[in-house]
Amino acid sequence: MSAQPETNELRSPTTGEPIAVVARRNLLGVLLLIVADVSGTIVLCMSYLYLHYLNTNKSWLPEGKESLWNTTGMNITWPGTVQPAVEWHFWAISGGILVLMLLFWQGVRSLRRGSSATMVSAALIVTLGLIGLSVAQYLQVRSFPFDPTDGGYASALTVIGISNFLHLLLSAFLAAAIWNRTRVGRISPENPYQATLVAVWLTWITISSVILACLTFFLISPSTDPTLFGTFGS
Amino acid sequence: MTTTATETAAMPVYPKNFLRSLRRQNVFTAFAGGIVGFLVMRVAASLFFRGEFWHGDSNRIITVAFIGWGVGFMAGIGAFNGVFRWFAGKDLDHAEAEYMAGKDLGVKRYFRYTTDHKVVGIQYLVVTMVILAIGGTLAMLIRTQLGISMELFNPNTYNSFVGTHGVAMVVGMILVVTGPIGNFIVPMMVGARDMAFPRLNALSLWLVVAALIPLVMSLFMGGIRDGWTVYQPLAIQAPPGAVGYIFFIVIFSISTAVSSVNLLVTIVRMRARGMTWSRTPIFVYSVAASVGLALPFFPFYMYSQLLALSDRTLSTSFFIPERGGSVWLYEHIFWILGHPEVYVIILPGIGACLEIMVVFLRKPLFSFRTAVVGIAGIVALAGLVWAHHMFMTGWAPLAGYPFMISTEMISIPLSLIVLVMIGTMWRGKVWTRLPMMIIYAVVFNKIIGGLTGIFLSDVPADMHFHGSMFVTAHFHYMLMGTGLFGAMAAIVFWFPKMTGRMFDERLGSIGFWTAFVGFQITFMAMFAAGNLGMPRRVFQSSELFLLSNQISTVGAYMIGVGMLIFLAALISSWKSGVIASSNPWGSQTLEWQTPTPVPLENFPVLPVVTSDPYQYGVPDPYQVERDLETQKEPVA
Ligand code: HEM
Ligand SMILES: [Cu+2]
């Protein structure tokens, strides 16, 4: 192929195209993959809200565990109060991701301004932070004051927790890769685009986890006289 | 580079360790890895879950084992090598990339994680034919049972044949145009050297192969009893074969997302210089529309199955009403994908027909814009009609009417495309080659499928038709009569470019028309049975339906024979057909402007496009007609 190096424009080692072309292509690719992941978040929201509003068999909230939500003595009405046992964990994790995401963007900014050092340390901190958050997410799911068997709410929260957990792990891997690649010089002020792509991904992860955390506002089902299915064995 | 000496001299020096691992990995190590992963995880899971779940509940064990299968298989084929190399900062250089694209590897490249889009296209063709063959064999067994009044299988086996047939065919049909033709032809059609992400291209192909094993294994684990839609709450009560279905769909969904992204980026970002949107071939539009629908909607399918898996293995209750779940939730999530999926299936088939008929009628599309508007209209409405599958479920009966209207509205863009087809035929001078003849059959079937769809989308009429063989006949007119037949036209048309040989049209025609006649017999009789009230997915039915069932079965055997003849034509042409020139149809799209066999990087020099690809003579059909009369042989 006639790779005519115009001036000292950086070229991809694999195809010989200018890096800017590859970067544009990869950005579109990442955005489209995010589109697919957005659908996943939509399904989780839809499942939560659908079961919430139906309250089938009066089994939205865990049976006999309504008291859980009264430990603070607050009267729960929509949009509800944030409850210590379960919900604030979601918010804490979302907040953690938000901070890490901003830190990562900071690294990308300084990379674009010409220094790799900040990116290396930012990516390292973000990696460790994301690993920490996935452990926290795991512990949260394990310490829910109910079992996955305890109805719609319990089901939805369990799966949302697992989904967050897997997203966090994947993001930690990506951040770690950026750390290593920047360290060895593959990502550099002249060629920062992969760091930007991971920053874009982290932004979406933050948004998704905030959206899912917002679901916990919808606690008590408005359906007070739902369809009953009896108690035939399962 | 003609002499061996220069070739050896030009052989790049590959870094040792990378190539050593790549050289060793192929489809055999993939299967070995998968089997080891499966067994190890299975044993580990049995030990781990013994206390809780030893009796009866093997769902968790099988789930863990299937994860082992998937990871082991993909590791065995080498899918993770690139990921770790990227992590380590060891990017491919050009020579390594060419090695991965299968340079100088001969036939071996078809059995590896090869990145060349042309290899992937051929691999997709073979894999898709395997899937369709599995589905087709099951169809024959199903029809055999329905055509006689004694029990050939036990009811559970019969049901699982129906479910497996359904889902295998749906997946096969999603793949049949986009997989082989989309991968092989589209990058060349837009004037690119490869897909945007060659390694992801290999990934999507091998994920399909990995997905197939859980599907096949499900047959031995109680089967997929509940139809391809695996409605709840039946599915949760089904034997662990259902887990095989779940893994098939989950892995396939990942593959779909990856390949959709790949095709979309290729189409949006890699078109040749000068190929503006109005100069982009209509087939490219249809593929973009298809994967553009698959990308946002397929995750719904995947999540419907992940939530079902969660109900099975984690004892959640998304779909178990007794514990706060809802079966309507399942149906919504399923059909939010399920309806767009039918467009994912037929759009590339229809687009291929539009692309092909232009060549054989030697005149431009009747209206390129109208065709684009039709495709865009379908994409815009596809996500708004899903509940027409739920009219009779009791879910919000009044909501049926808006969905009835949206469904009937989507017939409008679909009809626009039919009009473009008919308009293009109008006063065209037909070059009666097999691909063109198939298109006439496609238009016929598409009209019948579309019209019966309108019956079904009418809420009161659907009270009568829902759940009957009428529905089955409707969607076979669409899926098989339009989608599969369209794909056959596409395969015959692009065969010379893909294999370097002409398709044997004599044998191919015999096969195709036998299948076509068999098709009409089978499914016309099925409309009759459905209208009489015969429910679908039943094992044995009333004497009332016996005659139409017998007719259907005879027709089905004709389809079977026809398809086998077509397959024989395909195989024999591939092996020993007439060698094709680089542009045997005199087509104007870019893929025909490059030599056959296509060189590794497609074009010696990247093309620059200066007009749309439909400039056959002048756009005035009368002029084209006059031209053709004087020319006899069509000339580009
Ligand atoms: C004019 C366009 C179409 C209309 C109005 C239409 C309408 C409908 C309706 C209302 C149903 C539900 C029937 C019932 O379950 O009672 C249905 C079922 C179905 N349609 Fe169509 N359809 C159209 C085109 C297509 C196309 C293009 C395909 C495939 C390529 C397709 C494939 C299917 C399938 C697979 C089912 C059955 C799903 C199942 O229950 O297993 N349809 N159609
Ligand atoms: Cu539909």
Side-chain angles (χ1 to χ4, degrees):
Chain A
M1 100 176 10
S2 56
Q4 274 288 336
E6 301 145 20
T7 67
N8 51 0
E9 197 184 10
L10 209 57
R11 284 173 179 273
S12 148
T14 317
T15 59
E17 294 159 304
I19 285 292
V21 172
V22 181
R24 258 161 48 98
R25 192 182 296 161
N26 288 16
L27 176 63
L28 182 61
V30 168
L31 291 176
L32 289 173
L33 280 175
I34 289 175
V35 167
D37 204 55
V38 169
S39 297
T41 303
I42 292 175
V43 178
L44 292 179
C45 293
M46 196 181 132
S47 308
Y48 184 105
L49 294 174
Y50 201 91
L51 299 184
H52 166 83
Y53 282 110
L54 275 188
N55 192 16
T56 318
N57 223 26
K58 276 207 161 89
S59 299
W60 164 242
L61 286 180
E63 196 189 342
K65 292 190 183 170
E66 289 88 348
S67 58
L68 263 180
W69 281 270
N70 281 322
T71 47
T72 53
M74 281 186 267
N75 184 24
I76 304 157
T77 47
W78 188 86
T81 18
V82 176
Q83 292 299 311
V86 193
E87 287 88 348
W88 75 252
H89 291 176
F90 276 117
W91 289 106
I93 292 171
S94 299
I97 303 178
L98 179 71
V99 172
L100 294 175
M101 184 266 284
L102 293 175
L103 183 63
F104 199 92
W105 271 114
Q106 198 55 44
V108 172
R109 262 177 55 187
S110 72
L111 188 64
R112 289 214 191 112
R113 286 213 210 92
S115 132
S116 296
T118 321
M119 185 73 251
V120 174
S121 35
L124 184 63
I125 298 171
V126 171
T127 307
L128 298 176
L130 287 170
I131 293 173
L133 285 181
S134 37
V135 172
Q137 183 66 68
Y138 173 79
L139 292 176
Q140 185 209 10
V141 172
R142 289 312 300 239
S143 62
F144 278 152
F146 45 72
D147 292 332
T149 47
D150 282 341
Y153 175 77
S155 303
L157 280 202
T158 306
V159 169
I160 288 172
I162 295 174
S163 155
N164 273 347
F165 174 74
L166 295 176
H167 278 96
L168 285 168
L169 279 188
L170 174 63
S171 310
F173 176 81
L174 294 175
I178 295 304
W179 165 71
N180 193 40
R181 288 176 63 82
T182 316
R183 206 175 51 86
V184 301
R186 281 287 176 188
I187 295 173
S188 59
E190 297 80 50
N191 183 7
Y193 84 88
Q194 293 190 341
T196 316
L197 298 186
V198 172
V200 169
W201 168 257
L202 285 177
T203 310
W204 156 242
I205 292 302
T206 312
I207 296 172
S208 148
S209 98
V210 170
I211 292 174
L212 292 174
C214 283
L215 286 175
T216 52
F217 285 134
F218 300 83
L219 188 59
I220 304 293
S221 172
S223 163
T224 46
D225 187 19
T227 331
L228 294 182
F229 279 85
T231 51
F232 44 74
S234 50
Chain B
M1 288 219 291
T2 37
T3 67
T4 12
T6 41
E7 226 153 59
T8 349
M11 274 287 277
V13 189
Y14 299 112
K16 285 269 158 31
N17 49 355
F18 174 53
L19 279 194
R20 214 180 299 139
S21 68
L22 253 191
R23 277 222 176 92
R24 284 208 211 101
Q25 285 179 306
N26 54 36
V27 65
F28 300 107
T29 52
F31 272 91
I35 292 168
V36 170
F38 183 90
L39 293 177
V40 168
M41 293 299 264
R42 202 197 148 99
V43 172
S46 314
L47 295 175
F48 189 75
F49 294 128
R50 190 174 42 179
E52 283 171 85
F53 291 103
W54 191 236
H55 20 258
D57 190 352
S58 53
N59 284 319
R60 291 187 176 196
I61 296 175
I62 288 171
T63 300
V64 174
F66 274 146
I67 294 175
W69 158 261
V71 174
F73 184 90
M74 296 315 288
I77 194 72
F80 301 130
N81 300 4
V83 180
F84 290 124
R85 274 177 61 97
W86 173 73
F87 188 99
K90 294 182 187 141
D91 294 3
L92 296 181
D93 62 27
H94 191 62
E96 289 171 321
E98 283 195 322
Y99 181 84
M100 283 199 79
K103 194 178 184 213
D104 305 326
L105 275 177
V107 219
K108 278 189 194 161
R109 66 192 198 277
Y110 293 103
F111 299 93
R112 291 165 180 272
Y113 198 73
T114 303
T115 55
D116 180 7
H117 72 100
K118 299 180 285 296
V119 175
V120 177
I122 297 290
Q123 289 170 324
Y124 259 117
L125 181 62
V126 173
V127 171
T128 307
M129 289 194 317
V130 169
I131 298 175
L132 295 178
I134 296 174
T137 310
L138 292 172
M140 289 299 131
L141 295 174
I142 294 167
R143 280 294 355 149
T144 307
Q145 170 65 63
L146 289 178
I148 56 180
S149 28
M150 70 184 193
E151 288 193 12
L152 279 183
F153 314 108
N154 72 47
N156 195 56
T157 311
Y158 175 83
N159 282 346
S160 79
F161 285 176
V162 173
T164 311
H165 159 76
V167 73
M169 286 309 204
V170 164
V171 166
M173 290 307 304
I174 291 173
L175 291 174
V176 71
V177 178
T178 309
I181 317 286
N183 279 290
F184 198 115
I185 299 296
V186 165
M188 286 158 61
M189 216 173 200
V190 301
R193 295 204 185 281
D194 201 332
M195 295 277 266
F197 308 114
R199 279 182 283 174
L200 290 188
N201 204 14
L203 177 68
S204 61
L205 177 272
W206 288 104
L207 281 171
V208 176
V209 180
L212 272 181
I213 301 305
L215 179 74
V216 173
M217 281 185 65
S218 74
L219 279 172
F220 305 98
M221 302 188 314
I224 299 161
R225 295 181 328 185
D226 310 307
W228 78 281
T229 55
V230 289
Y231 267 18
Q232 303 285 354
L234 288 176
I236 186 83
Q237 300 154 5
V243 181
Y245 176 95
I246 290 172
F247 272 86
F248 178 55
I249 292 307
V250 171
I251 303 176
F252 179 68
S253 303
I254 300 172
S255 159
T256 305
V258 172
S259 72
S260 304
V261 169
N262 214 344
L263 276 161
L264 274 177
V265 176
T266 309
I267 293 170
V268 173
R269 285 265 184 263
M270 295 180 69
R271 292 194 318 283
R273 205 134 44 92
M275 187 179 277
T276 56
W277 283 113
S278 60
R279 292 176 187 163
T280 304
I282 196 74
F283 178 62
V284 174
Y285 272 92
S286 70
V287 171
S290 167
V291 295
L293 282 173
L295 183 68
F297 287 112
F298 241 91
F300 283 83
Y301 199 176
M302 175 164 154
Y303 270 75
S304 74
Q305 298 313 312
L306 285 176
L307 298 185
L309 184 68
S310 161
D311 279 2
R312 270 178 175 269
T313 56
L314 302 174
S315 311
T316 53
S317 53
F318 286 98
F319 307 133
I320 304 171
E322 190 211 343
R323 286 194 276 119
S326 166
V327 297
W328 291 322
L329 175 63
Y330 178 83
E331 291 169 24
H332 281 301
I333 304 177
F334 183 91
W335 287 115
I336 288 178
L337 160 87
H339 190 84
E341 179 181 75
V342 309
Y343 299 111
V344 172
I345 291 173
I346 56 162
L347 277 173
I350 292 181
C353 290
L354 288 168
E355 192 68 52
I356 295 169
M357 64 197 305
V358 171
V359 176
F360 291 95
L361 293 159
R362 308 315 288 181
K363 62 188 277 243
L365 273 185
F366 174 70
S367 166
F368 181 78
R369 291 239 177 103
T370 310
V372 173
V373 168
I375 292 174
I378 289 176
V379 172
L381 292 174
L384 303 174
V385 301
W386 78 89
H388 64 219
H389 295 274
M390 296 173 63
F391 288 154
M392 297 299 119
T393 57
W395 169 78
L398 283 180
Y401 292 94
F403 279 100
M404 166 171 125
I405 290 167
S406 64
T407 305
E408 285 167 4
M409 263 164 56
I410 210 168
S411 308
I412 297 173
L414 200 68
S415 318
L416 285 182
I417 298 179
V418 179
L419 286 181
V420 172
M421 287 184 157
I422 295 174
T424 309
M425 288 172 186
W426 176 67
R427 305 213 63 134
K429 197 81 176 204
V430 196
W431 187 15
T432 49
R433 301 294 292 261
L434 180 55
M436 186 63 215
M437 302 314 288
I438 295 181
I439 291 171
Y440 290 117
V442 167
V443 172
F444 179 84
N445 289 337
K446 192 169 142 197
I447 291 172
I448 294 176
L451 282 178
T452 50
I454 297 180
F455 288 35
L456 295 174
S457 56
D458 186 77
V459 177
D462 192 50
M463 285 185 187
H464 171 57
F465 290 125
H466 178 68
S468 77
M469 284 303 228
F470 192 91
V471 177
T472 314
H474 151 71
F475 68 72
H476 279 85
Y477 263 90
M478 277 304 185
L479 287 162
M480 184 172 180
T482 310
L484 184 62
F485 288 0
M488 286 159 80
I491 288 170
V492 176
F493 178 71
W494 276 293
F495 196 79
K497 192 46 79 177
M498 295 174 74
T499 65
R501 290 174 188 278
M502 299 302 289
F503 196 93
D504 179 348
E505 289 176 53
R506 238 171 74 91
L507 198 56
S509 301
I510 296 172
F512 176 77
W513 291 113
T514 312
F516 178 81
V517 174
F519 176 83
Q520 304 304 333
I521 296 173
T522 310
F523 293 104
M524 284 295 176
M526 197 177 283
F527 276 131
N531 197 22
L532 284 173
M534 177 176 168
R536 58 195 285 209
R537 294 175 184 152
V538 290
F539 178 49
Q540 294 254 302
S541 50
S542 149
E543 285 292 313
L544 176 65
F545 313 121
L546 191 62
L547 178 63
S548 33
N549 269 307
Q550 283 165 340
I551 297 175
S552 269
T553 300
V554 171
Y557 280 115
M558 260 180 92
I559 301 178
V561 171
M563 288 297 179
L564 285 179
I565 298 175
F566 191 87
L567 186 67
L570 190 144
I571 293 173
S572 73
S573 319
W574 202 333
K575 261 175 56 187
S576 53
V578 180
I579 302 283
S581 65
S582 66
N583 189 1
W585 313 118
S587 167
Q588 301 200 342
T589 39
L590 288 179
E591 79 277 21
W592 298 104
Q593 315 309 325
T594 176
T596 306
V598 187
L600 185 62
E601 292 196 318
N602 297 350
F603 301 96
V605 178
L606 281 182
V608 175
V609 178
T610 52
S611 71
D612 75 52
Y614 305 125
Q615 304 283 323
Y616 293 102
V618 268
D620 175 3
Y622 293 97
Q623 188 61 43
V624 169
E625 193 179 15
R626 280 193 295 276
D627 281 356
L628 278 170
E629 269 161 14
T630 53
Q631 275 172 1
K632 287 279 181 288
E633 266 298 283
V635 179

